[in-house]
Each structure stands twice: as C-alpha cells, then as structure tokens.
C-alpha cells in the first residue's frame, strides 16, 4: 500500500500555517509572539491553548495535548495520518509523493469506507436535488416547499432534494453505477430487512453536511401518506448525529462574525432564519441537544440564542439546553416565538411567511436572558405568594445556579431571582449551598434529583406512564385528559414529556421512546416494563384508573391550596392577595362536584 514520503510530511509541517488551520476551530488571539485560544480538545472558558508559530507546534496548558499541524487535523477531523497529510497538501498546493509498498495499515480499510460513503451521499444528494428542482417526479414536493415560502436560493443553498416514491429506484440506480449490494447495505440508505428498498422514499430531503460542507447524512420529511413525519440517518462511520448540527457549515461565517449562534428546533426553522438573512442558525438533528453540540456551537460563539418550543414539553428541553450552553460559558438568551406577539405564528417560518424578514429580526432582538426566562417560568408554575411556593421556585432555579461559575454573573443572577421571588439574596444563596450538604440530600433528590441517581418508586402515576410507553396507541387518550404538570412523580413526568415529544414528531415506536430517554435509570425501567409484558393486556385499564387518580390528586391539591389561602384571608375586607373569599368558596364547591363525578364514574 502507498505510503507518504517523509519529504512530503516535512514540507507540510513547514509550509502549512498552523494558525490558519486551528483558527477554523477556535478563535485565536495573538499575545507576544504566540497565539492563544480556548482549547478545541477540552472544555474551557479562558484560553490555555498555545501555538508557537516558529516551531509550528501547539500545546494546551489545560489538558496537556500537544502536536504538529498534522496531528491536529487527524484529531479534529478524525482522519488517518495519510488522509490528514493528503488533505493539508491539497489545500496548500503541495505535491504528495508516495514511496514503497509499505505495510497495510489496519485503519486503511475503514478510512476507505468513510471516503466511499461520503462520495455516495454526495452523489445521492445530487440526484435528489435534481429530482426536486428539475424533474416532474419532484413537482409535488417542490410545490410543498415553495408553499412553505422557501425560495429557490434557499433550496439551492441547502441543496434540498426529493427522494422518488419508488422505493427501489435508488438501489437500481446505484448498482448500475457499480456499487456492490454489500456496500449499499452498510450505507444507511436502505432498509435493513429489505436491502433494495430506500428508507427515504417519497420524502423531501434535507442533506446534512459536516463542517466542511461535505454531505454525510440525510433527514427526510414525509410528503404525504403514512409513516413517521421525519426520518433521520442514524450514526454512520462518517457521521455522529449527537456531534453534528444541521446547517453548521453554512452558518459558520456568520457565527464567527457575530460571535453568536441561534439554536432552533428543526430543519425548516434553520431554513427560515437563513432566508431572512440571519445566517447563524443551526439545529440539532432529531435528538435532544447534546454537550458535544453545545461545544461545537461554542467553538466560535459567545452567545447562544435558544429558539425551542416554550410549552411544557419544550420548557424542559430549553432548560436542559440552557444548562449545557452555560456550562460551556456562553451567554444564553431565549427567543420566544409564541410569546413574540405574532399570535398567528408558531415557528420562524410562519413569521417569515406572514410578516417578513424584518419581523423575524425583531423577534431575535426581543430575546430575553435565560435567567429572566426561568424567573417567568417559576412565576407561572409556583405560587410565589406562599413560603412553600417560594421554596419550590428556588428549587427550580438551583440547577441553573449550579452551572454559573463567575462570581460577577452569580451576583447579578441572584439579585434578579431574589427580587422576583420576594426573598433575600442571602436566603437564596444559603439554601442553595445547604442543598449540597449531606443532611439535605434527601430533600434535594426529591425535588431535583441528579440525573441517573434517583430512586424510582412505582406509584399509580408511574405505572400509567409505563403502560403508555409500552403501548403508545393509548397516549393520545392520556394527553387529552392530563398534562405533564398534573404529575407529581418526577419519573412519571419525564416519561410523559418523552411520550409527548414522540407524539408531536409522529414517532410512535418503542425505539423512539428509548432514543429520547437520556437517563439510564429511567430507560431501564421503561425497558423492563416493556419486556416483562406487564402492560401488554391491561394497559387500557391501568391507564384509565390511574388518570382518575391523578385527576383526583390535582383537584385535591388545588382545594387544599384554596383552603390554606382562605385561612390566611383577613376577615375585615374579605379578600387576600387579590383573591376573593366567596369566589374561592365557590371554586371549592366546583372542585367537590368534580371529585364526586370522578368517584361515581
Ligand atoms: Zn486542552
């Protein structure tokens, strides 16, 4: 097998500008004769990654990595030595000289497959794009996309495509071009069970590119008929979906220029922002936002704008994303589409379509700081008029305080939160610190368990959610009757939210439920319930009975709250905190009626 000559290696090491190469991954600043930046290999907020240009070497004082431009490219782009040298040489006009027949490297075969797969995806994307833009086959899809106000420039920019409805077509086309069935079976493009059927048939195709713009995977949206709304490529040798952001390659120039990134929900959102001329928008790929994606976004951005759904299911996702972004050190802001005043719009595409690009820019300007968003959420979820409600609200923001590691920021965050909750900053901080001491562990695990560590005790709520997770066809009934907020058991609540996400994405399989469940402990319980067949016959009854119990619980809690308030009410003017006693009494009567109905039903 070919081996690169040492002369070529030396030439690459001496001619290639390391500052330029590393600068594609992290922002560098010159101090003295050296360049400094935040290390691309480990998470940090203050630069300790150092480049010595004369020696063309890098060293990180944080994590200790060091090397040459070749080892840097190998590591960052997951390339073999040969590939890294070839790629650097190509870009810098250096002729590559090979020598001898050397040994066969073990990873040569693997590299080769990755290259071949990228070629395959590139070629297939080209065909799909042709079908969408040039062929009669793709007319319906094109009409649909244009109906969603995506213009031709955007279609071209994102190389959108259409996969023909004939599920055998792609297989026939590719084998006629000389691809073997063995290779195609490993490509992720075909059904595992029926290797000639393309998984993306009859779908609008959103090509997913790596940071260099090479197409490595696909997302496909159904056009009509049955099936999940979106299908996305799974992990492949050239693609890890948890480490990739849709649109990142196209967004990078603007992310660099503005030092900010917009993280949004899905493909169509990214298209809308870009079409409005706001080109720093990206999206995770059909999974929850991951730490790796946060790190990728942070490589050039100091500010993250989160533009996720802000309803109950979305709130949890937004909170998790806030924590991930803050952990990287990014300032984090929330863009609230539904609360932006455009009542007729549910996503960026709607705003672009109904009100134009300027309106979308305005929505971005109206973004609020993450801490203010959390304060608003706490205010609507807990009764800040009572000591108990205040304590709950504090528990809600504690995970956020945990990821703040600058004293200056902590001071301003604590002052904002404490004045909004009507408590002293000192009390907030002291409760927050106490929370991490052993004597308070128990309370903490109840209100805010650390992931993966909580004990799960099966009560009615959890049993109902497990039954629904094992039998997704019953979930529509569940969500008609109750919401996540009605559940007290945190594990049941989490499952509800997972099922709700699956429901909204039209992914109703049990696999989809597991995929969205990011907590090992919870996943194993769901799996156990499913595998044991515990709910295979009686799911209907378990769910109906539990819903009744849950509703009863909610009503009783509400009633207790009303009674507590009436007790506090000063008799003189018959009101307390804006609540009118006779009105509260009649609310209690209504609750009693409903409770009676539940009992009789
Ligand atoms: Zn480092």
């Amino acid at each position: 097998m070919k081996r690169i000559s040492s002369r070529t290696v030396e030439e690459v090491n001496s001619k290639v500008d390391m500052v330029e190469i590393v600068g594609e991954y992290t922002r560098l600043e010159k101090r003295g004769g050296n360049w400094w930046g935040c290390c691309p290999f480990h998470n940090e907020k203050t630069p300790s990654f150092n480049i010595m240009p004369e020696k063309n070497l890098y060293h990180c004082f944080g994590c200790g990595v060091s090397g040459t431009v070749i080892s840097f490219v190998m590591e960052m782009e997951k390339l073999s030595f040969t590939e890294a040298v070839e790629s650097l040489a190509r870009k810098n006009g250096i002729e590559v000289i090979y020598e001898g027949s050397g040994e066969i490297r073990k990873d040569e075969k693997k590299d080769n497959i990755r290259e071949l797969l990228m070629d395959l995806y590139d070629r297939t994307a080209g065909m799909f794009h042709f079908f969408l833009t040039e062929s009669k086959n793709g007319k319906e899809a094109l009409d649909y996309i244009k109906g969603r106000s995506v213009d031709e420039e955007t279609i071209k920019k994102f190389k959108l495509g259409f996969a023909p409805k004939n599920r055998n077509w792609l297989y026939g086309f590719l084998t006629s071009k000389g691809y073997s069935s063995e290779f195609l079976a490993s490509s992720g493009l075909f059904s595992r069970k029926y290797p000639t059927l393309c998984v993306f048939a009859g779908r609008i195709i959103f090509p997913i590119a790596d940071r260099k713009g090479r197409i490595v995977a696909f997302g496909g949206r159904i056009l009509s008929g049955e099936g999940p709304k979106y299908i996305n490529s799974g992990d492949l040798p050239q693609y890890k979906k948890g480490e990739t952001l849709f649109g990142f390659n196209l967004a990078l120039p603007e992310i660099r220029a503005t030092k900010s990134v917009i993280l949004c929900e899905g493909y169509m959102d990214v298209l809308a922002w870009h079409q409005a001329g706001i080109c720093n928008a990206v999206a995770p790929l059909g999974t929850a936002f991951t730490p790796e994606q946060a790190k990728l976004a942070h490589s050039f951005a100091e500010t993250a704008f989160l533009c996720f759904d802000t309803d109950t299911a979305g709130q949890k996702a937004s909170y998790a994303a806030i924590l991930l972004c803050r952990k990287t050190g990014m300032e984090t802001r929330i863009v609230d589409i539904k609360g932006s005043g455009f009542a007729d719009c549910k996503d960026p595409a709607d705003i672009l379509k109904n009100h134009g690009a300027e309106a979308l820019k305005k929505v971005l300007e109206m973004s609020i700081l993450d801490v203010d968003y959390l304060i608003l959420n706490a205010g609507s979820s807990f009764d800040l008029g009572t000591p108990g409600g205040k304590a709950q609200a504090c528990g809600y923001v504690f995970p956020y305080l945990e990821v703040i590691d600058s004293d200056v920021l902590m001071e301003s965050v604590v002052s904002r939160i404490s004045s909004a909750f009507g408590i002293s900053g000192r009390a907030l901080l002291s409760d927050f610190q106490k929370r991490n001491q052993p004597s308070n562990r128990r309370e903490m695990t109840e209100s805010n368990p650390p992931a993966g560590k909580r004990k799960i005790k099966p009560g009615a709520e959890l049993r109902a959610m497990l039954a629904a997770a094992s039998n997704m066809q019953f979930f529509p009934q569940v969500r008609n009757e109750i919401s996540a907020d009605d559940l007290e058991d945190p594990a049941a609540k989490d499952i509800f939210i997972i099922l709700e996400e699956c429901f909204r994405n039209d992914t109703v399989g049990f696999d989809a439920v597991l995929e969205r469940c990011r907590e090992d402990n919870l996943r194993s319980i769901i799996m156990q319930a499913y595998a044991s067949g515990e709910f295979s016959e009686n799911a209907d009854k378990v769910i109906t009975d539990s819903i009744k119990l849950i509703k009863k619980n909610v009503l009783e809690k509400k009633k207790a709250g009303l009674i507590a308030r009436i007790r506090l009410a000063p008799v003189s003017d018959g009101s307390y905190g804006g609540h009118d006693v006779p009105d509260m009494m009649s609310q209690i009567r209504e609750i009693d009626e409903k409770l009676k109905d539940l009992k009789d039903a």
Side-chain angles (χ1 to χ4, degrees):
M1 274 298 178
K2 62 188 182 180
R3 198 171 62 196
I4 290 179
S5 74
S6 53
R7 215 174 80 206
T8 306
V9 175
E10 270 162 36
E11 207 179 344
V12 165
N13 269 330
S14 63
K15 276 195 186 160
V16 175
D17 180 3
M18 186 182 272
V19 173
E20 195 186 314
I21 301 289
V22 177
E24 287 178 20
Y25 292 91
T26 186
R27 195 153 21 87
L28 293 169
E29 271 166 34
K30 194 162 188 184
R31 266 190 258 149
N34 292 352
W35 291 82
W36 292 84
C38 284
C39 177
F41 299 108
H42 84 278
N43 254 329
E44 64 175 356
K45 290 165 199 173
T46 45
S48 52
F49 187 85
N50 171 243
I51 296 175
M52 296 153 273
E54 305 101 86
K55 297 188 188 139
N56 231 0
L57 289 173
Y58 64 83
H59 176 73
C60 172
F61 291 92
C63 67
V65 296
S66 54
T68 65
V69 69
I70 297 173
S71 62
F72 182 85
V73 169
M74 283 171 71
E75 194 49 49
M76 290 315 290
E77 296 178 22
K78 304 279 178 274
L79 298 179
S80 69
F81 181 81
T82 309
E83 281 179 314
V85 176
E86 283 171 343
S87 141
L88 285 167
R90 197 165 45 233
K91 264 185 281 174
N92 290 276
I94 298 167
E95 190 197 352
V96 182
I97 300 160
Y98 300 93
E99 63 188 23
S101 62
E103 312 160 25
I104 299 173
R105 286 177 302 106
K106 253 197 245 152
D107 52 355
E108 187 132 21
K109 207 174 146 207
K110 210 174 75 197
D111 301 338
N112 211 0
I113 284 183
R114 208 179 47 212
E115 273 306 305
L116 287 172
L117 281 169
M118 287 206 268
D119 285 342
L120 174 71
Y121 273 79
D122 189 58
R123 183 170 217 165
T124 309
M127 285 312 295
F128 287 164
H129 185 61
F130 169 82
F131 276 119
L132 182 72
T133 51
E134 312 276 337
S135 123
K136 251 195 267 165
N137 273 325
K139 178 150 189 327
E140 194 191 342
L142 191 61
D143 287 346
Y144 172 82
I145 292 173
K146 288 191 170 162
R148 296 283 305 263
S149 303
V150 179
D151 64 20
E152 267 166 37
E153 204 183 314
T154 306
I155 293 173
K156 212 181 275 168
K157 181 173 169 186
F158 285 86
K159 213 174 179 185
L160 300 186
F162 177 67
K165 282 189 179 147
N166 177 351
R167 294 188 70 189
N168 282 300
W169 177 81
L170 186 63
Y171 187 83
F173 171 74
L174 292 173
T175 43
S176 80
K177 297 285 170 203
Y179 287 100
S180 73
S181 3
E182 219 185 339
F183 174 67
L184 293 180
S186 70
S187 68
L189 291 171
F190 299 94
S191 155
R192 244 175 279 170
K193 218 163 160 192
Y194 308 101
T196 65
L197 300 185
C198 176
V199 288
F200 292 104
R203 288 175 180 269
I204 294 163
I205 297 296
F206 299 85
I208 297 158
D210 65 10
R211 53 187 299 146
K212 304 244 142 132
R214 296 192 63 174
I215 291 162
V216 289
F218 292 135
R221 186 195 192 283
I222 200 162
L223 192 55
S224 56
E226 291 195 359
K229 192 165 164 194
Y230 282 96
I231 287 184
N232 298 294
S233 297
D235 285 355
L236 292 160
Q238 77 280 16
Y239 168 64
K240 297 255 173 306
K241 68 174 158 183
E243 294 173 11
T244 312
L245 288 163
F246 176 68
F248 189 78
N249 60 312
L250 298 169
L252 193 51
E254 192 151 327
I255 294 177
R256 279 168 185 269
T258 62
K259 295 183 186 172
S260 71
V261 62
I262 302 170
L263 295 161
C264 43
E265 195 103 12
Y267 305 125
M268 293 304 284
D269 297 336
V270 173
L271 264 48
W273 286 107
H274 280 251
Q275 192 169 310
I278 305 165
C279 298
N280 52 338
V282 298
L285 293 147
T287 50
F289 188 56
T290 66
E292 291 77 17
Q293 288 167 336
K295 193 168 167 244
L296 178 60
H298 175 54
S299 54
F300 293 96
E302 288 170 357
T303 305
F305 292 90
L306 302 183
C307 186
F308 297 141
D309 248 353
T310 46
D311 57 13
T312 312
Q315 265 176 27
K316 200 164 164 154
S318 295
Y319 200 163
I322 288 172
L323 297 182
L324 289 174
C325 289
R326 279 288 177 188
K327 265 186 207 160
T328 67
M330 278 190 283
E331 171 166 307
T332 309
R333 304 183 68 88
I334 305 293
V335 181
D336 182 3
I337 296 284
K338 281 181 189 151
S340 63
F342 298 108
D344 53 340
C345 300
K346 60 176 191 327
D347 55 31
D350 282 344
I351 295 186
L352 182 64
K353 184 176 171 183
N354 301 342
H355 306 278
E358 284 309 309
L360 201 48
K361 281 178 194 154
K362 206 154 274 161
V363 172
L364 192 62
E365 282 164 19
M366 275 162 49
S367 70
I368 58 171
L369 258 183
D370 50 1
V371 62
D372 293 328
Y373 165 80
L374 295 177
I375 289 171
L376 285 174
N377 279 352
S380 60
S381 312
F382 310 107
D383 183 356
L384 294 174
T386 66
K390 285 180 186 179
Q392 282 178 304
C394 290
Y396 174 71
V397 297
F398 283 160
Y400 178 73
L401 296 184
E402 194 121 310
V403 298
I404 302 291
D405 74 349
S406 134
D407 290 345
V408 178
L409 184 59
M410 186 62 129
E411 201 176 281
S412 99
V413 160
V414 165
S415 113
R416 273 172 130 103
I417 293 175
S418 54
S419 78
F421 289 1
I423 51 175
S424 74
R426 197 177 43 80
L428 177 67
L429 272 179
S430 127
D431 269 6
F432 172 62
Q433 276 145 10
K434 262 190 245 158
R435 160 184 186 265
N436 291 323
Q437 283 159 13
S439 61
N440 284 291
R441 276 279 165 203
R442 213 164 52 93
E443 277 155 51
M444 181 193 90
T445 45
E446 269 162 25
S447 60
N448 252 311
K453 277 194 186 147
R454 76 177 159 217
K455 284 207 185 91
I456 299 181
K457 47 174 197 288
E461 296 187 350
L462 184 55
R463 276 175 60 76
M465 289 308 122
L466 289 173
S470 309
N471 302 272
M472 271 296 276
Q473 71 271 29
F474 292 120
F475 185 66
Q477 182 202 339
V478 175
R479 68 190 292 279
N480 270 344
E481 304 251 13
I482 56 170
S483 75
D485 292 337
D486 294 338
L487 299 168
E488 268 182 341
D489 181 342
K493 208 182 206 118
D494 284 353
I495 298 178
F496 186 101
I497 289 167
I498 291 166
L499 297 181
E500 175 73 17
E501 284 175 357
C502 292
F503 179 82
R504 288 190 194 185
N505 285 287
D506 276 341
T507 46
V508 291
F510 186 66
D511 286 354
V513 175
L514 289 185
E515 195 189 337
R516 279 175 191 274
C517 180
R518 300 187 69 81
E519 204 185 308
D520 291 345
N521 203 2
L522 195 61
R523 191 184 303 123
S524 81
I525 290 205
I526 297 175
M527 230 141 74
Q528 224 170 21
Y530 184 71
S532 73
E534 192 185 345
F535 302 111
S536 59
E537 264 152 32
N538 61 351
D540 199 357
K541 186 166 171 353
V542 171
I543 289 172
T544 318
D545 290 350
S546 309
I547 286 177
K548 230 190 266 173
L549 255 167
I550 292 162
K551 280 179 160 175
K552 197 176 140 230
N553 195 9
V554 169
L555 289 168
E556 257 157 8
K557 236 176 23 192
K558 213 166 154 195
K559 185 176 159 184
L562 287 165
I563 292 174
R565 267 194 227 151
I566 290 174
R567 283 212 192 103
L568 285 171
V571 189
S572 57
D573 69 348
S575 77
Y576 174 74
H579 298 279
D580 182 49
V581 171
D583 178 46
M584 288 194 273
M585 291 301 290
S586 85
Q587 281 186 48
I588 290 176
R589 273 194 298 278
E590 260 174 55
I591 291 175
D592 282 333
E593 289 284 309
K594 284 184 192 160
L595 281 169
K596 191 167 166 293
D597 288 350
L598 274 175
K599 217 175 182 180
D600 295 342

